[in-house]
Amino acid sequence: VPKSSINIHISFCLSTTILSSFFRCSIIVNSFSVVSPFSTTSTCTTCSSATNLNLLRVPTAVLVPTAARSQRKSHSRSLRENFSTFGIAAPNSNSYDSDSKEVDLKTQPKELEKLTVVHLKELLREKSLKVSGRKAELIQRLLQSQKYEDQPLIITTMPRTSKRKTSGGDDDGGRTKIDNEKVSKKVGKKEDKKPNSKNKKAKVDHQRITDRDEIKKLWNAEEALKKGSYTFKIMSWNVAGLRALLRKQPDALSNLASEHKLDVICLQETKLQQSHLDDPKLNITGVLADDGFDSHFSCSTTKKGYSGTCVFVRRRDKENVADADQQAKGKKKQGKLDSFFSKKNKSFGGKDKNDNHEGKKSASIGDIDVADLIPTNVSMGMDKKEHDMEGRLITLDFPQFSIANVYVPNSGQKLERLDYRTKNWDKDFLNYMKEKEDTRDKPVIWLGDLNVAHTSKDVWNDGAKHLAKQAGVTAEERESFQQMLDYSDGSFVDAFRYLHPDAMGHYSYWSQRAGNREPNKGLRLDYFICSTSLMKDDPEKKIVVRDSYMIKDQEGSDHCPVILEIEMRK
């Protein structure tokens, strides 16, 4: 760009906009001359206001290379003074004023490191040099170019735009102001959206219980055995894949059986097929064989790696059980009851599944006939094809009661199976359990992952808006479950809630994806539902439910095991 004066026959505001961006230079008023015999009114492109432009006397501008920007502050003041003479609105000095300083790169090369990449590229463009590359390359390019120049490089800060409120006085030359009213309205709208402290307090504080109440152990099995009664223990656990559990924690089931002296272990969501049961390498059917248990499996035939249930029942040997009884009464050295259970006999004490042991001389544990601890029948499903294809139900008939290990269908992430679950499965399953109770004239217990958090105490964040559309917590599922409990004037009872009506924070499921187990943000989805008669402590009754609790520290699944203890007496 030539450094000589050039007459510019356009309004100053327009010339400032075009020339500053095109030539990357400052426009400095130098002198005045008459260049045109006409005048006109036009809209200023810089300040968007109608301005009377008297072109009879316009400034002669000098195009000055950007390297001379150190003088811009003084120039801007002269611009204001000159343009006020003609009644022309001068551009806001804040839009292009900048700080500057002279830097001798030969002695102060590190000053370039303080600049941004954008600023470095601006300096390179002024020298018509290449502007691509990393910051280090840009700095090196500037240093190389400065070797051949005697004058120091003038570094300025980047032009800044300002939205500061101005008074619109004479110094502004009639410049358009920011519409403070509009701004205040916009700010006011935003402030209106923000709730005040009173509104915050008025909001409903949803229940977010993460603490777990302490509950007392209600029953002592060892003391009961000394008095002649036996404590029958059932464990239920959704393992979320039995093969995965056995791979990660191969001794988990064995340790639980031994530590809690379990009689029956019911698992849900085993995700097994018949091919897994037949595979000798996996040895699924013999998982607890060495611990004295027989196994029964029900697999899904509609989908692989889906659903499935299984039951492990402690195997009974009459002779060894008799020895165990003697030890329990203190006639021999005290030992573990498990060590007396034979690992060689077949299921049901070596008898047929339908053998009711009538007319047989039986051993006893305490005052209890061991025959009462052996199931007389095991069945799969509820004789309805639409339900039985997913392997969700195994029923065991004991002489004094029946147990149903069930994995209730989940309503689905988008509630696509909600109607099937509440209108079909729940109704058919309730009829099945009621028919079982009436036909045998014995109380029943159904247990497992029932996929419903029944009350507000069974959900850590009950009341949260999203729960209305979350499987297991919908109003339809809760209502359906309540109807099952209320059937025939309250035929069935939630054992845990009956025994611990005020217990809070006791859950059986936590989302692993959300990491909710450690803070105890869970749901209670696993239950023991019992016939009401089992809950009444009548001296003449042979069986009474005594306790129910969770083994919260047991890992291996997103569910934890739950246990039911039943007193059996003569």
Side-chain angles (χ1 to χ4, degrees), residues 112-125 131-136 138-139 142 158:
L112 291 177
E113 297 178 2
K114 300 178 182 179
L115 303 180
T116 64
V117 172
V118 176
H119 201 166
L120 290 171
K121 289 183 177 181
E122 182 72 13
L123 294 175
L124 287 169
R125 287 192 185 98
V131 296
S132 62
R134 296 172 178 264
K135 184 175 182 179
L138 302 180
I139 293 174
L142 279 171
M158 292 301 295

Side-chain angles (χ1 to χ4, degrees), residues 301-319:
T301 57
T302 60
K303 189 188 301 184
K304 292 184 178 180
Y306 179 73
S307 187
T309 52
C310 75
V311 176
F312 297 94
V313 184
R314 187 173 290 280
R315 191 183 307 116
R316 303 292 178 178
D317 179 78
K318 296 177 182 179
E319 294 180 0

Side-chain angles (χ1 to χ4, degrees), residues 202-264:
K203 284 185 176 181
V204 178
D205 185 13
H206 295 309
Q207 179 188 15
R208 292 180 180 273
I209 297 175
T210 56
D211 293 332
R212 183 183 289 107
D213 294 346
E214 292 187 9
I215 56 176
K216 295 181 180 179
K217 189 74 172 64
L218 301 180
W219 187 247
N220 190 317
E222 294 181 358
E223 292 297 324
L225 184 59
K226 292 178 181 179
K227 296 178 182 179
S229 63
Y230 178 72
T231 302
F232 191 88
K233 295 184 180 181
I234 310 170
M235 187 188 82
S236 172
W237 191 13
N238 180 321
V239 293
L242 182 55
R243 287 180 297 160
L245 175 67
L246 296 176
R247 183 173 62 254
K248 296 176 182 177
Q249 299 187 36
D251 299 325
L253 294 177
S254 179
N255 292 339
L256 286 168
S258 175
E259 180 180 354
H260 297 278
K261 299 179 181 177
L262 301 174
D263 294 278
V264 177

Side-chain angles (χ1 to χ4, degrees), residues 108-362:
Q108 297 174 288
K110 292 186 178 181
E111 288 295 325
L112 291 177
E113 297 178 2
K114 300 178 182 179
L115 303 180
T116 64
V117 172
V118 176
H119 201 166
L120 290 171
K121 289 183 177 181
E122 182 72 13
L123 294 175
L124 287 169
R125 287 192 185 98
E126 294 170 6
K127 297 178 176 291
S128 299
L129 297 175
K130 185 179 179 181
V131 296
S132 62
R134 296 172 178 264
K135 184 175 182 179
E137 297 174 353
L138 302 180
I139 293 174
Q140 187 63 27
R141 206 169 293 148
L142 279 171
L143 291 174
Q144 290 292 336
S145 66
Q146 198 65 19
K147 288 182 180 181
Y148 306 101
E149 297 184 11
D150 297 330
Q151 296 181 354
L153 181 68
I154 297 177
I155 298 177
T156 63
T157 58
M158 292 301 295
R160 60 182 182 275
T161 57
S162 175
K163 293 184 180 180
R164 289 177 294 180
K165 183 173 65 177
T166 58
S167 61
D170 293 338
D171 291 341
D172 297 322
R175 175 169 45 88
T176 304
K177 300 180 293 182
I178 296 177
D179 192 341
N180 295 325
E181 293 182 0
K182 291 182 180 179
V183 173
S184 63
K185 287 181 180 179
K186 291 180 180 179
V187 174
K189 288 180 181 179
K190 292 182 180 178
E191 291 177 351
D192 292 340
K193 291 181 181 179
K194 295 181 180 178
N196 55 33
S197 58
K198 293 182 179 179
N199 292 337
K200 287 182 179 179
K201 292 181 180 178
K203 284 185 176 181
V204 178
D205 185 13
H206 295 309
Q207 179 188 15
R208 292 180 180 273
I209 297 175
T210 56
D211 293 332
R212 183 183 289 107
D213 294 346
E214 292 187 9
I215 56 176
K216 295 181 180 179
K217 189 74 172 64
L218 301 180
W219 187 247
N220 190 317
E222 294 181 358
E223 292 297 324
L225 184 59
K226 292 178 181 179
K227 296 178 182 179
S229 63
Y230 178 72
T231 302
F232 191 88
K233 295 184 180 181
I234 310 170
M235 187 188 82
S236 172
W237 191 13
N238 180 321
V239 293
L242 182 55
R243 287 180 297 160
L245 175 67
L246 296 176
R247 183 173 62 254
K248 296 176 182 177
Q249 299 187 36
D251 299 325
L253 294 177
S254 179
N255 292 339
L256 286 168
S258 175
E259 180 180 354
H260 297 278
K261 299 179 181 177
L262 301 174
D263 294 278
V264 177
I265 299 174
C266 299
L267 306 182
Q268 303 90 42
E269 200 175 1
T270 57
K271 300 182 180 181
L272 298 175
Q273 274 74 56
Q274 187 61 41
S275 59
H276 299 136
L277 304 180
D278 298 336
D279 191 339
K281 294 182 179 180
L282 294 176
N283 192 29
I284 297 292
T285 56
V287 168
L288 291 177
D290 292 341
D291 295 278
F293 285 83
D294 295 307
S295 59
H296 308 277
F297 294 83
S298 180
C299 303
S300 171
T301 57
T302 60
K303 189 188 301 184
K304 292 184 178 180
Y306 179 73
S307 187
T309 52
C310 75
V311 176
F312 297 94
V313 184
R314 187 173 290 280
R315 191 183 307 116
R316 303 292 178 178
D317 179 78
K318 296 177 182 179
E319 294 180 0
N320 286 339
V321 168
D323 292 340
D325 179 45
Q326 296 295 325
Q327 287 196 11
K329 292 181 178 180
K331 294 184 180 180
K332 292 184 180 181
K333 184 178 179 181
Q334 185 71 28
K336 287 187 176 181
L337 193 62
D338 303 311
S339 61
F340 297 92
F341 296 144
S342 172
K343 301 177 182 179
K344 298 180 180 179
N345 290 355
K346 295 182 179 180
S347 177
F348 313 107
K351 302 296 180 181
D352 183 74
K353 292 183 179 180
N354 295 315
D355 184 3
N356 59 11
H357 303 278
E358 292 182 0
K360 303 288 182 180
K361 183 179 180 180
S362 301

Side-chain angles (χ1 to χ4, degrees), residues 14 23 30 32 71 155 162 172 276 396 469 483 542:
L14 185 58
F23 295 107
N30 187 21
F32 299 95
Q71 303 175 6
I155 298 177
S162 175
D172 297 322
H276 299 136
L396 295 85
K469 296 182 180 181
Q483 290 176 2
K542 292 186 176 182

